[in-house]
Amino acid sequence: MFITSGIVAVAFVLWGVIAPGPMSTVASKVNSFITTNFGWFYIISASFFLLFVVVLMFTRWGSVRLGPDDSKPEYSNQAWFAMLFTAGMGIGLVYYAVSEPVTHYLEPPTGQGGTPQAGTEAMNLTFYHWGLHPWAIYIVLGLALGYFAFRKGLPMRPASALYPLLGDRIYGWVGHVVDVLAVFGTLFGLATSLGLGGQQVGAGLETLFGVSNTPTLQMLLILGITAIAVVSVMLGIDKGIRNLSLINLWLAFALMLFVFFFGPSVDLLNSLASNVGHYIQQLPQTSFETYPNDPDAREWQASWTLFYWGWWISWSPFVGMFIARISYGRTIRSFIMGALFAPVGASFVWLSIFGNSALGLLSTNPNNPLAEASSDTAMFSLFNQLPVHGIATILASVLAIVVVVLFFATSSDSGSLVVDILTNGGDPNPRWQQRLFWAVLEGVIAAVLLGASAASGEDALSALQTAAIVTGLPFCVVLLVICFSFTKALVSERVTVDVGPGPQTKLRQAAAKRTPEAKHRSEGSSESSESSES
């Protein structure tokens, strides 16, 4: 696994260095083919994953633990939430918090832009892209891996989730193909995030110090910040990733409070309530919309929704495995509730504060600088228009850069750990040499993508979006098969009712298949009892 994945990844890097133009051309053609012919597949699959985890949460299997029946969670709720949130959302939530609502407001997929209705729909679409669907995608793989690894004793590899269907063939070439797809989905999904982070940090430096935000600067930033991730991943989960995630979460919270208190606070609270209500009301229709008779809207969907779904799916091996790794002892129900509703609620608050602050400025002044700001500079443009003194604006911009850097590092170190586990046979404690190799390679791939787009004259964001969409498609098929396999395994988990007198009646979880050792002990105990009575 390590040799195969490493050789192919390095070959891709060399292709991007030697012939960046042809590589970018091929990737664009593949991207166009997928969005044209398989857009519907992405839309239906993402909605199916959401329905799957919500239904599973309310079934009798919700009480099944990811581990033995007497196991307890390894991490506190706060540490668990910090790690899963910073790993699952990462840089994108900072990068798009202002720019995406503004873009949808000015250029909606349908209807006229710049109207109150466009503002409402802009927040609905932003919630759609960052809400329940992405976390449902993560949960599918995370739950399956946690169940098969901690409860059934299988290696922590995506192929293990297919054991009910493949049996011991997961250790053969079929299982290796699944794991290799997971490795490349993780590498290119992370490269997308790291590329966005490099662009935004470069924009922040340009805003503060006048440094030109060139592709060269962005590539240097990616490689430099990757060094921070290397240190974190070398320290491991407890000393590195856990502490960095907690620091990152609190700094992001401080940045959000800054915008909330110096922005239109009461209006933002009203907008949050309205945004959530509209999102829930429109969710069924939004989830299955494919704009069949509107070519312009389909082009918008390819640039936004399909990019996001491909991004989340390509991230699912990384985030799913990482969440599974830190979720030992939790029940299926608590896992789904914690990983679905807690981060989604936090994301909605974050997006409403930043997004509606920007939309409020645009609604009162259509010529506001935010209308011309790029995705890289939109957040810094918002800071410059808050009613605060210059030093406070500078501090907010510096804090935003630090948050992006830490999101960068927490995404990279978590992803490196996951790729290490995948390429080390499912061992949750891989060798340090492999951790170092993959942490460095992730930053190099992101730098190569940006360099290739610059060499071919294309927009850097297009190259990152292409990488996400292309790598997400094959693993989307794997996730659908995992849903079926996981369901088949859960059916074997029997839940029996222990009927006792009065209020003593309780629901008891029992393993469906007893191990041969347990059966032998039970029979031995029964024989001993009969012998004693005799």
Short mmCIF file of all heavy atoms in Angstrom, two decimals, residues 375-403:
data_model
loop_
_atom_site.label_atom_id
_atom_site.label_comp_id
_atom_site.label_asym_id
_atom_site.label_seq_id
_atom_site.Cartn_x
_atom_site.Cartn_y
_atom_site.Cartn_z
N SER A 375 -12.60 35.98 -3.58
CA SER A 375 -12.78 35.06 -2.45
C SER A 375 -11.62 35.16 -1.46
O SER A 375 -11.81 34.99 -0.25
CB SER A 375 -12.90 33.62 -2.96
OG SER A 375 -14.02 33.47 -3.79
N ASP A 376 -10.43 35.47 -1.97
CA ASP A 376 -9.25 35.59 -1.10
C ASP A 376 -9.35 36.79 -0.18
O ASP A 376 -8.93 36.74 0.99
CB ASP A 376 -7.97 35.72 -1.92
CG ASP A 376 -7.80 34.59 -2.91
OD1 ASP A 376 -8.40 33.52 -2.69
OD2 ASP A 376 -7.07 34.77 -3.89
N THR A 377 -9.89 37.90 -0.69
CA THR A 377 -9.84 39.17 0.04
C THR A 377 -11.15 39.58 0.69
O THR A 377 -11.19 40.59 1.39
CB THR A 377 -9.41 40.29 -0.92
OG1 THR A 377 -10.38 40.40 -1.98
CG2 THR A 377 -8.04 39.98 -1.53
N ALA A 378 -12.25 38.82 0.46
CA ALA A 378 -13.57 39.25 0.92
C ALA A 378 -13.62 39.45 2.44
O ALA A 378 -14.17 40.44 2.93
CB ALA A 378 -14.62 38.25 0.48
N MET A 379 -13.05 38.52 3.20
CA MET A 379 -13.10 38.64 4.66
C MET A 379 -12.34 39.87 5.14
O MET A 379 -12.79 40.59 6.04
CB MET A 379 -12.56 37.38 5.32
CG MET A 379 -12.57 37.44 6.84
SD MET A 379 -12.28 35.85 7.63
CE MET A 379 -13.84 35.02 7.33
N PHE A 380 -11.19 40.13 4.55
CA PHE A 380 -10.41 41.30 4.96
C PHE A 380 -11.11 42.59 4.56
O PHE A 380 -11.01 43.60 5.27
CB PHE A 380 -9.01 41.23 4.33
CG PHE A 380 -8.26 39.98 4.71
CD1 PHE A 380 -8.06 38.97 3.79
CD2 PHE A 380 -7.78 39.80 6.00
CE1 PHE A 380 -7.39 37.81 4.13
CE2 PHE A 380 -7.10 38.64 6.35
CZ PHE A 380 -6.91 37.65 5.42
N SER A 381 -11.84 42.57 3.45
CA SER A 381 -12.63 43.73 3.05
C SER A 381 -13.74 44.00 4.07
O SER A 381 -14.05 45.16 4.39
CB SER A 381 -13.23 43.51 1.67
OG SER A 381 -14.04 44.59 1.27
N LEU A 382 -14.34 42.93 4.61
CA LEU A 382 -15.37 43.09 5.64
C LEU A 382 -14.77 43.71 6.90
O LEU A 382 -15.37 44.62 7.50
CB LEU A 382 -15.99 41.74 5.97
CG LEU A 382 -16.99 41.70 7.13
CD1 LEU A 382 -18.21 42.56 6.81
CD2 LEU A 382 -17.41 40.27 7.44
N PHE A 383 -13.60 43.25 7.33
CA PHE A 383 -12.96 43.81 8.53
C PHE A 383 -12.73 45.31 8.37
O PHE A 383 -12.91 46.08 9.33
CB PHE A 383 -11.62 43.12 8.79
CG PHE A 383 -11.74 41.68 9.19
CD1 PHE A 383 -10.69 40.79 8.96
CD2 PHE A 383 -12.89 41.19 9.78
CE1 PHE A 383 -10.80 39.46 9.32
CE2 PHE A 383 -13.02 39.86 10.14
CZ PHE A 383 -11.96 39.00 9.91
N ASN A 384 -12.35 45.74 7.18
CA ASN A 384 -12.04 47.16 6.96
C ASN A 384 -13.27 48.05 7.07
O ASN A 384 -13.12 49.27 7.19
CB ASN A 384 -11.40 47.35 5.58
CG ASN A 384 -9.99 46.79 5.52
OD1 ASN A 384 -9.28 46.76 6.53
ND2 ASN A 384 -9.57 46.35 4.34
N GLN A 385 -14.47 47.46 7.00
CA GLN A 385 -15.69 48.26 7.03
C GLN A 385 -16.44 48.18 8.35
O GLN A 385 -17.50 48.78 8.50
CB GLN A 385 -16.60 47.82 5.88
CG GLN A 385 -15.97 48.02 4.51
CD GLN A 385 -16.91 47.65 3.39
OE1 GLN A 385 -17.97 48.26 3.21
NE2 GLN A 385 -16.55 46.63 2.62
N LEU A 386 -15.89 47.44 9.32
CA LEU A 386 -16.52 47.41 10.63
C LEU A 386 -16.23 48.72 11.37
O LEU A 386 -15.16 49.33 11.19
CB LEU A 386 -15.98 46.22 11.44
CG LEU A 386 -16.35 44.83 10.92
CD1 LEU A 386 -15.67 43.75 11.76
CD2 LEU A 386 -17.86 44.63 10.92
N PRO A 387 -17.16 49.16 12.22
CA PRO A 387 -16.98 50.45 12.92
C PRO A 387 -15.98 50.35 14.08
O PRO A 387 -16.34 50.48 15.26
CB PRO A 387 -18.39 50.76 13.42
CG PRO A 387 -19.02 49.42 13.61
CD PRO A 387 -18.46 48.55 12.52
N VAL A 388 -14.73 50.10 13.75
CA VAL A 388 -13.67 49.99 14.76
C VAL A 388 -12.47 50.79 14.29
O VAL A 388 -12.37 51.19 13.13
CB VAL A 388 -13.27 48.51 14.99
CG1 VAL A 388 -14.42 47.74 15.61
CG2 VAL A 388 -12.82 47.87 13.69
N HIS A 389 -11.52 51.01 15.22
CA HIS A 389 -10.32 51.76 14.88
C HIS A 389 -9.37 50.90 14.04
O HIS A 389 -9.49 49.67 13.99
CB HIS A 389 -9.61 52.22 16.16
CG HIS A 389 -10.43 53.18 16.97
ND1 HIS A 389 -10.71 54.46 16.54
CD2 HIS A 389 -11.02 53.04 18.18
CE1 HIS A 389 -11.46 55.08 17.45
NE2 HIS A 389 -11.66 54.23 18.46
N GLY A 390 -8.43 51.56 13.41
CA GLY A 390 -7.53 50.88 12.50
C GLY A 390 -6.74 49.75 13.13
O GLY A 390 -6.56 48.69 12.53
N ILE A 391 -6.29 49.94 14.38
CA ILE A 391 -5.50 48.91 15.02
C ILE A 391 -6.32 47.65 15.25
O ILE A 391 -5.82 46.52 15.13
CB ILE A 391 -4.91 49.43 16.37
CG1 ILE A 391 -3.98 48.39 16.97
CG2 ILE A 391 -6.03 49.81 17.32
CD1 ILE A 391 -2.76 48.12 16.16
N ALA A 392 -7.63 47.82 15.56
CA ALA A 392 -8.50 46.66 15.77
C ALA A 392 -8.69 45.89 14.46
O ALA A 392 -8.74 44.66 14.45
CB ALA A 392 -9.84 47.10 16.34
N THR A 393 -8.81 46.61 13.35
CA THR A 393 -8.93 45.96 12.05
C THR A 393 -7.68 45.15 11.73
O THR A 393 -7.77 44.02 11.22
CB THR A 393 -9.17 47.00 10.96
OG1 THR A 393 -10.36 47.75 11.26
CG2 THR A 393 -9.33 46.34 9.61
N ILE A 394 -6.53 45.72 12.03
CA ILE A 394 -5.26 45.02 11.77
C ILE A 394 -5.18 43.76 12.62
O ILE A 394 -4.80 42.68 12.14
CB ILE A 394 -4.07 45.95 12.05
CG1 ILE A 394 -4.05 47.10 11.04
CG2 ILE A 394 -2.75 45.17 11.99
CD1 ILE A 394 -2.99 48.13 11.31
N LEU A 395 -5.56 43.88 13.90
CA LEU A 395 -5.52 42.73 14.79
C LEU A 395 -6.48 41.63 14.31
O LEU A 395 -6.16 40.44 14.37
CB LEU A 395 -5.86 43.14 16.22
CG LEU A 395 -4.82 44.00 16.94
CD1 LEU A 395 -5.34 44.44 18.31
CD2 LEU A 395 -3.51 43.24 17.08
N ALA A 396 -7.66 42.04 13.83
CA ALA A 396 -8.62 41.06 13.32
C ALA A 396 -8.06 40.35 12.09
O ALA A 396 -8.23 39.13 11.93
CB ALA A 396 -9.94 41.74 12.99
N SER A 397 -7.40 41.10 11.22
CA SER A 397 -6.81 40.49 10.02
C SER A 397 -5.70 39.52 10.40
O SER A 397 -5.58 38.44 9.82
CB SER A 397 -6.27 41.58 9.09
OG SER A 397 -7.31 42.44 8.64
N VAL A 398 -4.88 39.92 11.38
CA VAL A 398 -3.81 39.03 11.84
C VAL A 398 -4.40 37.76 12.43
O VAL A 398 -3.93 36.65 12.17
CB VAL A 398 -2.91 39.75 12.86
CG1 VAL A 398 -1.93 38.75 13.50
CG2 VAL A 398 -2.14 40.88 12.20
N LEU A 399 -5.47 37.93 13.25
CA LEU A 399 -6.12 36.76 13.86
C LEU A 399 -6.70 35.85 12.79
O LEU A 399 -6.61 34.61 12.90
CB LEU A 399 -7.22 37.22 14.82
CG LEU A 399 -7.98 36.11 15.57
CD1 LEU A 399 -7.02 35.26 16.37
CD2 LEU A 399 -9.05 36.72 16.47
N ALA A 400 -7.29 36.43 11.74
CA ALA A 400 -7.84 35.62 10.65
C ALA A 400 -6.74 34.81 9.96
O ALA A 400 -6.93 33.63 9.63
CB ALA A 400 -8.55 36.51 9.63
N ILE A 401 -5.58 35.44 9.75
CA ILE A 401 -4.46 34.72 9.13
C ILE A 401 -4.01 33.57 10.02
O ILE A 401 -3.76 32.45 9.55
CB ILE A 401 -3.29 35.69 8.86
CG1 ILE A 401 -3.70 36.69 7.77
CG2 ILE A 401 -2.05 34.93 8.44
CD1 ILE A 401 -2.66 37.77 7.52
N VAL A 402 -3.93 33.83 11.33
CA VAL A 402 -3.51 32.78 12.27
C VAL A 402 -4.52 31.63 12.26
O VAL A 402 -4.14 30.44 12.25
CB VAL A 402 -3.36 33.35 13.70
CG1 VAL A 402 -3.11 32.23 14.71
CG2 VAL A 402 -2.22 34.35 13.75
N VAL A 403 -5.81 31.95 12.23
CA VAL A 403 -6.84 30.91 12.21
C VAL A 403 -6.73 30.07 10.94
O VAL A 403 -6.83 28.84 10.98
CB VAL A 403 -8.25 31.55 12.32
CG1 VAL A 403 -9.33 30.52 12.01
CG2 VAL A 403 -8.46 32.12 13.72
#
